[in-house]
Amino acid sequence: MELGLESKVALVAAASQGIGKAVAGALHSEGARVAICARSEARLQDARRDIEARSGREVLAVCADVSDGGQLQALVEQVQQHWGAIDILVNNAGGPPAGSHEDIADAEWARAFELTVRSAGRLTDRVLPAMKARGWGRIINISSYSVKQPLPGMLLSNSLRLAVLGWAKTLASELAPYGVLVNTVCPGWVATRRVDELLQARAQQQSTTVAALRQKICDGIPVGRLGRTEEIANTVVFLASQAASYITGSAIAVDGGAAQVF
Ligand code: NAD
């Protein structure tokens, strides 16, 4: 299959580890010119070196907090100056904190809204003019399978990721005439540092072991295991490619069958 990603410019947000880093690495392997961002300079540079080491080709790493509109403006300007106009934007961010309705104060709602909803909107607004002018673009949001099946104790994620989905679906219709496609990838349980930390915290709370918790999760996944970051990245690469030219406004679960709905 011809993916047509050679020399495309891709910006992957929140990509110093986990899913974002795997997505950046996969796009880079397909020949794209990749830029990544995250908040911590040291971790970001480690990720840049890791990805570059696979091919010897350069990756642009720019420190930025995706919750901060000013930093996003500077990020996009820097990427455009370095690589040229952005063809592919992957909207990723850290997950909003866990908690139920009694735990979450107004200020936390506001912070999570900036992180989960507005980060995607702001970054998209900044890359769109060039995509529209050239009649080609791909916007891909990293979300969660919680948009299909809300997860217990994840009130902010369950709520705000649906806002992103509504935004993305609306945008997909508005942008299709300009050749810009907007899709959302919804991972299930994926083995990342974040999930390790989550399981360690839960194991302590529930006086059990990480291995027992992991097994319980795997028992609820038809494929019988956690996902690998590359499995999420492969889906993003396909959606970013020329081959996905008739897919827009979709929310695609990559969850080993975990969600009990379509
Ligand atoms: P992770 O914690 O391993 O990585 C998150 C990345 O985002 C890191 O590079 C971190 O530095 C960066 N980041 C966090 N906040 C940022 C900010 N404000 N500005 C810039 N960079 C920031 O997470 P992950 O497991 O790779 O998950 C990525 C996304 O996918 C998250 O939103 C997560 O909730 C979601 N998700 C993950 C899973 C999973 O099982 N891993 C499942 C469903 C959804």
Side-chain angles (χ1 to χ4, degrees):
M1 192 190 299
E2 182 52 52
L3 295 178
L5 289 169
E6 193 86 20
S7 298
K8 292 280 188 211
V9 176
L11 169 58
V12 185
S16 65
Q17 65 179 44
I19 292 170
K21 182 181 170 191
V23 167
L27 288 167
H28 186 256
S29 299
E30 293 300 330
R33 288 177 285 173
V34 171
I36 57 176
C37 84
R39 288 163 304 175
S40 150
E41 181 73 33
R43 282 194 188 175
L44 186 66
Q45 294 304 337
D46 283 349
R48 176 185 64 73
R49 279 189 288 274
D50 271 5
I51 301 170
E52 284 178 342
R54 293 178 215 160
S55 70
R57 286 188 301 111
E58 182 191 4
V59 169
L60 177 67
V62 181
C63 229
D65 183 335
V66 297
S67 300
D68 182 322
Q71 291 187 29
L72 293 183
Q73 178 68 33
L75 164 68
V76 169
E77 281 169 10
Q78 212 171 318
V79 176
Q80 286 175 341
Q81 271 163 22
H82 194 83
W83 287 133
I86 294 164
D87 301 295
I88 298 159
L89 170 65
V90 180
N91 284 317
N92 186 38
S100 63
H101 76 281
E102 286 152 353
D103 310 324
I104 296 162
D106 264 7
E108 255 180 292
W109 272 100
R111 262 198 304 276
F113 180 77
E114 294 295 314
L115 177 70
T116 305
V117 184
R118 287 308 297 146
S119 64
R122 288 196 183 109
L123 255 182
T124 301
D125 289 348
R126 283 161 179 78
V127 303
L128 265 183
M131 287 183 179
K132 284 167 84 171
R134 286 172 310 125
W136 200 97
R138 297 284 192 267
I139 312 281
I140 300 157
N141 309 303
I142 306 297
S143 178
S144 166
Y145 84 119
S146 67
V147 297
K148 295 182 183 277
Q149 183 171 306
L151 302 172
M154 301 292 280
L155 184 74
L156 288 172
S157 177
N158 294 341
S159 308
L160 296 174
R161 291 192 194 281
L162 282 169
V164 175
L165 212 55
W167 164 81
K169 185 70 181 164
T170 309
L171 210 64
S173 302
E174 292 179 4
L175 295 179
Y178 298 94
V180 178
L181 308 182
V182 185
N183 289 292
T184 302
V185 173
C186 308
W189 284 92
V190 181
T192 63
R193 197 181 297 171
R194 175 173 187 269
V195 164
D196 283 345
E197 287 164 5
L198 197 81
L199 292 185
Q200 272 161 23
R202 280 197 194 169
Q204 261 182 354
Q205 280 163 9
Q206 299 172 19
S207 306
T208 181
T209 63
V210 169
L213 277 182
R214 193 186 299 267
Q215 189 55 52
K216 200 168 156 201
I217 290 166
C218 292
D219 290 345
I221 302 172
V223 169
R225 61 171 174 81
L226 301 192
R228 293 186 284 270
T229 53
E230 311 86 77
E231 291 172 314
I232 309 302
N234 288 342
T235 308
V236 175
V237 164
F238 173 68
L239 288 172
S241 76
Q242 206 52 53
S245 49
Y246 201 57
I247 304 177
T248 195
S250 291
I252 299 175
V254 188
D255 65 352
Q260 299 296 307
V261 291
F262 294 105

